[in-house]
Amino acid sequence: MDISAFDGPRPLPDPIADDAARLAARADARANPLTVSRFAAVVTPLFFCIAVGLVSLAFLPRVPPAIMQPWLVCASAFLVLWIAASAALLWRRPGRTELVRFWAPVSRAIVVISNLIVLATVWLFLPHADTPLRIMLAAFYVGQIATQVAYSPENAPLVRAGMAAICASGAFMLLALGGRYEQIAAVFLLAFGVAMFVVADTQLGYMRQVIDARFVAEDAQIETQAALSSVAEERDAKTRFIAAASHDLGQPLQAAALFFDQVMRAPDPTHRDAAAEGVGRAFASAEQLLSHMLNHLQLEADAVRPHVSRIALDPTFRRLAAQFAPLAADHQIALRAVGTRHHALVDPALFDRALGNLVSNAIQHSGGTRVLVGARRRRTTLDIWVIDNGAGIGGADAGHIFEDYYRGSDSRAPSLGGFGLGLSSVKRIAELLGGRAGLDRRWLHGSAFFIQLPHLGGERFGLSERRLPRP
């Protein structure tokens, strides 16, 4: 079976789902830094109602009924609808999504209609007013502009458009009507409009800066929490490691002490020789455990410098198969190295240690009957595989098995203890060699570990592609 073909991938969790949701929330916050304010829903219609009432009282005797009555009907109907919408907003207390999707368009419509009603007074009322009333209307325009800038910053483009129309029309009409005070009012109206235009133009920019600062603080908090969690996990892992080391090293040393006691007490030379052999095996086991621990600590301290050379993979595979053949036979596992003509640029000793760890783990922990070792070249990488047909890696362990001091919790395969350093050493060695180590989680019948290395500069060396059969 070609190792690139599978019976069908198992569903994998999306590791960036939370990040994607957070980025989407941030994009929404930047696009809509402000939402409709409930406070503005009270203040703005109240101001507009007072202003419309005062203007109506002042101009009712002066403006012809054919002009005044339609304006009053439109303004009154608009105010009723505005007050009803404000009451509904206060009563519902909607969340951010509803504010953005429903109430924001309502707010924009209110801004447009209110500006049109105010703009109508410029052309319909100013010609019928004397100087005091014209100054009063100019004050009304200033209030309309200031209120919108202060209480409707989420509608900045519409506010700026309405501001420009009201200020330009009002100033033009005041200048056209003549009079010293009208000219002063026109200049003041234009100057105030320019000032408010700058305020409205920069207001959202400041709000986005505040939002970005909040995001930076949020990122720093997340990174701090992740760092603290990582430190706590590392501390707990090393605590478990110390406990495991004390237990695992204690067993062979205790066995050595018992065998040594037998050597001293057994009268039969045959029994003494057997006990002495047991002492040797116990010390060899302890030495192996210490060697694994020291090798990993050197990798962890970045004290290993690889000496890279080009090697042929086929002799390495055959040597490892012969080395682990007795262990595989003890576990009733058929160990097979698939022939290959590929070469790799590695440190031979480190590569043997990493690949040997994968083979040893597959034999001792898979619970299967077959283990295959092989290589497959891709466009830019050379993948060395160790595949078994055992119980596989449980979902709880799959994301952690390459972590330091981690020992799997999956009960489907036999557990033989250990420090939990084998796979983390494989990962570190692969990175030292310029590659990476991993577990193909799509593999459905057992487990498929790989060491992925860069191939030799794209050179082919006349190598033919080989396929790995199904485990």
Side-chain angles (χ1 to χ4, degrees), residues 75-360:
S76 300
F78 169 67
L79 270 173
V80 170
L81 294 176
W82 190 356
I83 293 172
S86 299
L89 176 64
L90 294 174
W91 176 74
R92 284 187 57 81
R93 295 187 174 275
R96 176 179 175 81
T97 301
E98 183 179 341
L99 284 172
V100 170
R101 293 183 179 178
F102 177 77
W103 291 102
V106 171
S107 176
R108 289 192 289 270
I110 288 173
V111 169
V112 171
I113 297 173
S114 64
N115 283 333
L116 289 175
I117 291 175
V118 172
L119 195 59
T121 64
V122 175
W123 304 101
L124 299 178
F125 291 2
L126 276 178
H128 300 282
D130 55 14
T131 296
L133 287 181
R134 291 170 184 168
I135 302 301
M136 186 192 77
L137 273 182
F140 174 39
Y141 303 150
V142 167
Q144 170 73 3
I145 293 169
T147 302
Q148 286 193 4
V149 171
Y151 295 112
S152 188
E154 72 277 2
N155 296 313
L158 290 176
V159 169
R160 289 197 296 267
M163 185 189 314
I166 292 172
C167 288
S169 299
F172 174 79
M173 182 62 71
L174 289 170
L175 289 173
L177 292 172
R180 179 184 177 188
Y181 294 107
E182 283 81 354
Q183 294 174 354
I184 294 175
V187 172
F188 174 79
L189 189 59
L190 285 175
F192 183 81
V194 171
M196 289 295 100
F197 198 95
V198 173
V199 171
D201 194 48
T202 57
Q203 196 169 37
L204 282 181
Y206 289 139
M207 289 305 304
R208 288 194 173 97
Q209 290 179 10
V210 171
I211 290 172
D212 289 341
R214 190 193 74 190
F215 289 157
V216 170
E218 180 183 314
D219 287 339
Q221 182 180 9
I222 292 173
E223 291 174 2
T224 301
Q225 290 175 347
L228 291 175
S229 177
S230 177
V231 169
E233 289 177 1
E234 184 176 352
R235 179 201 62 204
D236 294 342
K238 289 187 176 180
T239 301
R240 292 192 300 270
F241 163 70
I242 293 172
S246 301
H247 176 268
D248 292 347
L249 283 174
Q251 285 184 330
L253 294 177
Q254 184 179 10
L258 292 174
F259 282 126
F260 185 77
D261 184 64
Q262 292 180 19
V263 170
M264 298 297 296
R265 294 176 180 273
D268 186 355
T270 304
H271 290 168
R272 284 200 300 270
D273 291 343
E277 185 180 350
V279 171
R281 288 197 304 269
F283 278 121
S285 177
E287 182 183 11
Q288 185 181 27
L289 288 172
L290 285 172
S291 176
H292 288 167
M293 181 175 65
L294 293 176
N295 287 336
H296 179 81
L297 291 177
Q298 286 181 322
L299 290 170
E300 189 178 37
D302 198 22
V304 178
R305 293 295 178 266
H307 301 283
V308 176
S309 62
R310 178 186 169 214
I311 67 168
L313 292 178
D314 191 67
T316 301
F317 290 174
R318 285 189 279 105
R319 184 176 64 254
L320 284 174
Q323 176 185 341
F324 287 98
L327 181 63
D330 289 343
H331 288 77
Q332 298 181 342
I333 287 179
L335 174 61
R336 179 189 171 194
V338 179
T340 179
R341 297 172 60 190
H342 295 314
H343 293 68
L345 200 62
V346 295
D347 181 309
L350 290 176
F351 181 70
D352 280 4
R353 188 196 308 173
L355 191 57
N357 279 344
L358 291 181
V359 174
S360 175

